Amino acid sequence: MKNLKRQWKFIVVLIAGAVGLISQFALHSKSLFSIGNLQFPVHAIIIDIIGILMAISLLLEIFHDWKTGRYGVDILAVIAVVSTILIGDVWAEWMILVMMTGGETLEDYATGQANKELRALLDKTPRIANKLVDGKITEVKVDDLQVGDTVLIKPGQQVPVDGQIVKGTSSFDKSSLTGESVPVTKNPGDELMSGSVNGDVAVEMKVTKAAKDSEYQSIVALVKSSQAQPAKFVKMADRYAIPFTVISLIIGGVAWAVSGDATRFAEVMVVASPCPLLIAAPVALVSGMSSMSAHHIIVKSGPTLEKLARAKTFAFDKTGTLTENQLIVDQVVTDDKSFDQKELQSLAASVEQQSSHVIASSLVKATDKDLIHPVTNLKETTAQGVEGDVDGKHVKVGKLSFVAPGHEKLNVTSTAVYVSVDGKFAGYITLKDKMRPESPKTIERLRRQGAEDIMMLTGDHKQVAEKVAKEAGITDVRSELLPSQKIQAIKDVPKHLRPVVITGDGVNDAPSLTAADVGIAMGAKGATAASESADAVIMVNDISKVNDAVAISKHTMKVANIDVLTAIGVVIIIELIAFTGVIPAFWGAILQEVVDMITISLGLLAKTKPSDKQFGLEEK
């Protein structure tokens, strides 16, 4: 709606100019009335009315900005319009109006070009699904699908919602979601992610999540959120507003005083119009957000880029962030010579095979399938463990107090499950976090990118946390923290080490992500509370994207600053030329359009690839 309003302003100004030209040259319009030396023919009245309305509109916006504590450069545009009205230079006034409304239209166009990756994602949103009812295909809206429905996905079609294959085997392209370039083969029982594209074979899928909760729709929601805050982009230009306005008014005032001609002041004000300055920051920042999207990072607002570019402290959650959301077997320790390590792990995994607990599933995953045997008389004791019969033996797996009372003095500092067989303590299995292969390199690169402090915030035990931190290359470790203590740790970061960026993936990370200056969520697993609370969401399962986010932010802010300063420099040079009186107001307005084009072109450079140094790939 805002963009449409801007376009209509531009169209109205063009129509006023066309009517004015016809009135002046074709119909030879004469003055309807005069005030002093000023003549007011029809074309002048038409353009002056439009100019006054535009000036009033700008003044209302300026007044609103002042009430919210913002001091922009729009006042110069108002002064330029009023000046040309007062000196009676109608066509210079019209060119200023073209410049103002045309500059806004050019900004919208440039923003649209910079934002095309985001729009492409929205355009691909699946809307229709082939629902199977009694073997017949019925086309329904994706939003009408319910959990438990069966959907047919034809070759080349997008998966409409998250689900599970019940019939058929095919390959699926998930590149738009995860960045994986090679299609993945999916069989009956495998999970399908909405937004992935089916290969050559039709499959039937059971819906496991409604559309609003599915993967692709959660990404779309994040993209829409990232598009909702364009007004904040101008803050960067506002930092230069007061000095630029003062300098321009001084140049114009001195030109008037030296020449004794008010026209000279108007000529300077025309070229001092702030359009290039206002366009520079938005185009660069939207280009940066678009570049983020192309790297599978959704940024929700422009200020996030500014904070990321200046960030000095980075904090990470441990499980699911620095490590994969999976444990691996570290040691198998037997306490009974009747069992070797292989048999002990086999018995434990067999009993745990039906449990959904992360420790149980990790143990089962780490055990050879041939070693996992059927279990009978399975019983689970909440928060304690499980027990059952395997190959004629009664096996208990879980906490030490549940498995073998009386052995509580056993000191095992790692994450462990304990095992007893036929009522006798048989040993224990320790598990450790599986480090993401890219985590150590990510930490190293962050230091090269300017990070002054990197810390790990986790609720896990001290020994486990320190072991992971050492492997990742982090020395500042805060362990055994409650969510409230994580928030306090962020608040305690001194001012000279801010902004603070924290990366996490779980529901318990959501408060911390909100408390930090920038919260980044690992959102590859779907829409979580962490994703909703974050300022940016990494849509692939790759923590090195934090490096990409920092690099793109630094590159974007560098381009934006260069663009703004270039716009100011060029405009001031033109003002100084106008000071001499060699640039009539009309041609000064045309020069401003040239500066607008230069500004937009520079802003779009934010979409180019950052340097290796910004990516943290070069040694300092």
Side-chain angles (χ1 to χ4, degrees):
M1 184 62 71
K2 181 179 179 182
N3 290 353
L4 190 61
K5 182 180 177 182
R6 286 177 161 186
Q7 291 170 9
W8 271 111
K9 282 183 179 180
F10 183 54
I11 293 170
V12 167
V13 169
L14 291 179
I15 292 173
V19 172
L21 283 171
I22 293 170
S23 173
Q24 181 176 3
F25 297 107
L27 303 179
H28 305 288
S29 66
K30 297 181 180 180
S31 297
L32 296 181
F33 61 90
S34 61
I35 300 176
N37 295 325
L38 296 179
Q39 302 296 314
F40 289 92
V42 173
H43 72 278
I45 293 173
I46 293 172
I47 293 172
D48 283 348
I49 289 172
I50 299 296
I52 290 168
L53 291 175
M54 293 288 184
I56 291 172
S57 175
L58 268 177
L59 281 171
L60 291 174
E61 291 179 17
I62 291 168
F63 180 69
H64 178 266
D65 288 343
W66 284 354
K67 286 198 302 182
T68 57
R70 273 187 54 206
Y71 302 93
V73 288
D74 287 335
I75 189 65
L76 288 174
V78 175
I79 293 172
V81 172
V82 173
S83 298
T84 50
I85 290 175
L86 292 178
I87 67 172
D89 195 334
V90 175
W91 292 112
E93 176 193 349
W94 180 74
M95 276 305 303
I96 293 172
L97 296 176
V98 171
M99 177 184 63
M100 287 168 50
T101 57
E104 290 176 339
T105 304
L106 282 172
E107 178 190 340
D108 292 339
Y109 172 76
T111 298
Q113 290 299 303
N115 217 18
K116 63 184 178 182
E117 283 91 352
L118 300 183
R119 289 202 320 276
L121 186 64
L122 296 177
D123 291 342
K124 292 178 182 177
T125 306
R127 294 177 174 84
I128 300 295
N130 298 314
K131 182 179 175 181
L132 287 173
V133 180
D134 298 328
K136 295 182 179 180
I137 298 175
T138 304
E139 284 194 352
V140 298
K141 292 181 179 179
V142 169
D143 292 339
D144 293 337
L145 289 175
Q146 297 181 356
V147 174
D149 286 346
T150 302
V151 175
L152 177 68
I153 305 168
K154 298 178 181 178
Q157 285 187 335
Q158 224 178 6
V159 178
V161 294
D162 290 357
Q164 185 180 55
I165 293 181
V166 293
K167 184 178 180 181
T169 297
S170 186
S171 61
F172 288 82
D173 181 359
K174 300 194 294 179
S175 58
S176 63
L177 295 167
T178 65
E180 296 178 62
S181 58
V182 180
V184 179
T185 300
K186 296 288 186 176
N187 301 298
D190 289 341
E191 301 292 331
L192 286 181
M193 188 185 297
S194 60
S196 52
V197 179
N198 189 12
D200 301 325
V201 181
V203 300
E204 293 180 16
M205 179 193 80
K206 182 180 179 182
V207 176
T208 58
K209 287 184 181 179
K212 63 184 179 66
D213 300 320
S214 291
E215 179 71 18
Y216 195 84
Q217 282 76 5
S218 71
I219 298 174
V220 169
L222 289 168
V223 171
K224 288 180 178 177
S225 171
S226 76
Q227 294 180 313
Q229 305 180 52
K232 293 186 178 181
F233 293 170
V234 188
K235 284 185 175 180
M236 180 185 204
D238 288 349
R239 291 201 291 268
Y240 301 98
I242 293 178
F244 178 69
T245 302
V246 171
I247 290 171
S248 298
L249 289 173
I250 289 173
I251 293 173
V254 172
W256 186 356
V258 170
S259 67
D261 185 359
T263 301
R264 194 69 58 83
F265 175 79
E267 289 171 350
V268 173
M269 288 301 99
V270 168
V271 297
S273 181
C275 286
L277 184 59
L278 294 175
I279 291 172
V283 173
L285 288 171
V286 173
S287 294
M289 291 176 69
S290 177
S291 182
M292 287 278 201
S293 177
H295 283 76
H296 301 283
I297 306 163
I298 303 298
V299 177
K300 298 182 181 179
S301 70
T304 297
L305 291 173
E306 296 189 52
K307 293 174 186 176
L308 268 172
R310 296 184 290 110
K312 295 181 180 178
T313 298
F314 289 81
F316 291 88
D317 175 48
K318 179 179 71 69
T319 307
T321 304
L322 289 170
T323 66
E324 296 182 1
N325 200 14
Q326 177 187 341
L327 299 171
I328 57 175
V329 172
D330 186 21
Q331 291 181 302
V332 179
V333 180
T334 61
D335 194 62
D336 188 332
K337 294 181 180 178
S338 302
F339 303 102
D340 59 22
Q341 294 176 333
K342 190 174 182 179
E343 187 176 5
L344 183 69
Q345 183 172 340
S346 170
L347 291 171
S350 298
V351 175
E352 293 275 34
Q353 63 184 295
Q354 295 183 30
S355 175
S356 60
H357 192 278
V358 64
I359 294 178
S361 60
S362 297
L363 176 59
V364 172
K365 197 173 288 186
T367 305
D368 192 319
K369 289 183 179 180
D370 294 336
L371 296 177
I372 298 177
H373 306 298
V375 57
T376 57
N377 300 321
L378 187 66
K379 179 183 176 183
E380 182 172 359
T381 304
T382 303
Q384 294 296 320
V386 294
E387 57 186 301
D389 296 329
V390 180
D391 293 339
K393 303 179 180 66
H394 187 71
V395 182
K396 296 178 75 174
V397 182
K399 290 184 176 180
L400 188 59
S401 57
F402 169 73
V403 168
H407 286 72
E408 282 82 356
K409 291 183 179 180
L410 187 65
N411 185 25
V412 180
T413 57
S414 304
T415 300
V417 291
Y418 300 88
V419 185
S420 70
V421 180
D422 293 331
K424 184 179 179 182
F425 180 63
Y428 59 88
I429 300 170
T430 64
L431 299 100
K432 65 179 182 179
D433 287 287
K434 184 179 181 182
M435 178 69 67
R436 289 181 182 272
E438 71 272 15
S439 288
K441 193 69 175 178
T442 298
I443 302 304
E444 179 186 347
R445 284 175 59 192
L446 279 176
R447 291 197 173 94
R448 292 179 184 172
Q449 289 174 303
E452 296 184 22
D453 185 29
I454 300 176
M455 56 185 176
M456 185 172 78
L457 306 177
T458 178
D460 214 336
H461 297 297
K462 183 179 179 180
Q463 293 92 335
V464 175
E466 288 181 344
K467 192 172 182 180
V468 171
K470 184 178 180 181
E471 190 176 346
I474 298 175
T475 55
D476 187 354
V477 186
R478 321 283 178 89
S479 56
E480 301 179 17
L481 298 179
L482 298 172
S484 60
Q485 292 173 314
K486 289 184 180 182
I487 293 173
Q488 192 58 49
I490 293 168
K491 290 182 177 179
D492 289 342
V493 174
K495 190 174 181 179
H496 71 277
L497 289 177
R498 289 183 174 273
V500 180
V501 178
I502 184 168
T503 304
D505 81 317
V507 173
N508 66 318
D509 297 320
S512 304
L513 297 178
T514 304
D517 296 303
V518 177
I520 300 177
M522 300 291 293
K525 296 296 183 182
T528 64
S531 297
E532 293 166 7
S533 304
D535 301 294
V537 183
I538 295 172
M539 302 311 302
V540 292
N541 198 27
D542 183 356
I543 197 175
S544 71
K545 289 296 178 181
V546 174
N547 296 129
D548 293 354
V550 172
I552 294 168
S553 298
K554 287 181 180 294
H555 179 60
T556 299
M557 297 315 300
K558 181 179 178 180
V559 169
N561 277 291
I562 290 173
D563 201 4
V564 169
L565 292 173
T566 299
I568 290 174
V570 171
V571 169
I572 289 177
I573 289 171
I574 298 175
E575 286 177 23
L576 292 172
I577 297 173
F579 178 95
T580 66
V582 299
I583 304 178
F586 179 81
W587 289 104
I590 291 178
L591 273 175
Q592 273 286 317
E593 288 298 316
V594 175
V595 178
D596 282 354
M597 295 301 296
I598 293 171
T599 300
I600 289 173
S601 299
L602 284 174
L604 290 173
L605 289 176
K607 290 187 69 176
T608 59
K609 184 181 177 182
S611 67
D612 286 349
K613 184 176 181 181
Q614 288 168 326
F615 270 118
L617 298 173
E618 288 184 358
E619 295 284 354
K620 281 190 174 182

